[in-house]
Amino acid sequence: MARTENVTITNMCMVFNGSKVLVQDKKDEDYSGITFPGGHVEKGESFTDAVIREVFEETGLKISSPKICGIKDWMREDGTRYMVLFYKENGKWTEELK
């Protein structure tokens, strides 16, 4: 049995500031609805660097210390695995984000 497999790795980050939680109202072909910022981990990129980059790209917010708080994975019909790494960060923001 092979010990390697094809995996798509993604991330999501719950950024909170006191009692406020940052969410996106996402509208695209893949997914529409309320979600946390996040996206794909690029080949060779660390998991932490990926979530920091994705939060910035999607919100303009610079986070620095995301903490991993969960992992969810499932097998797709084509035999590949899809993995989501869940993070949280106490982010400070005062201005309107993207």
Side-chain angles (χ1 to χ4, degrees):
M1 177 183 245
R3 291 181 169 234
T4 61
E5 63 182 316
N6 289 325
V7 181
T8 300
I9 306 170
T10 63
N11 58 57
M12 297 178 93
C13 189
M14 181 182 77
V15 182
F16 60 95
N17 183 356
S19 63
K20 296 179 183 179
V21 176
L22 178 66
V23 295
Q24 295 179 277
D25 187 6
K26 193 169 184 174
K27 294 176 176 47
D28 65 31
E29 295 174 12
D30 295 332
Y31 176 83
S32 294
I34 302 298
T35 186
F36 295 121
H40 286 82
V41 176
E42 302 295 335
K43 185 175 180 178
E45 186 176 36
S46 79
F47 297 159
T48 302
D49 288 347
V51 73
I52 290 169
R53 175 185 54 77
E54 286 290 350
V55 169
F56 180 73
E57 286 178 1
E58 295 188 1
T59 68
L61 184 64
K62 294 180 181 179
I63 63 172
S64 59
S65 302
K67 305 291 185 238
I68 194 159
C69 59
I71 300 171
K72 171 67 178 145
D73 72 303
W74 59 92
M75 297 303 291
R76 299 199 285 197
E77 289 183 15
D78 65 3
T80 64
R81 184 181 302 267
Y82 194 93
M83 180 183 301
V84 184
L85 305 170
F86 296 100
Y87 290 84
K88 63 182 178 179
E89 162 111 5
N90 186 0
K92 307 289 187 237
W93 71 86
T94 55
E95 71 284 348
E96 186 170 326
L97 302 172
K98 284 185 178 178

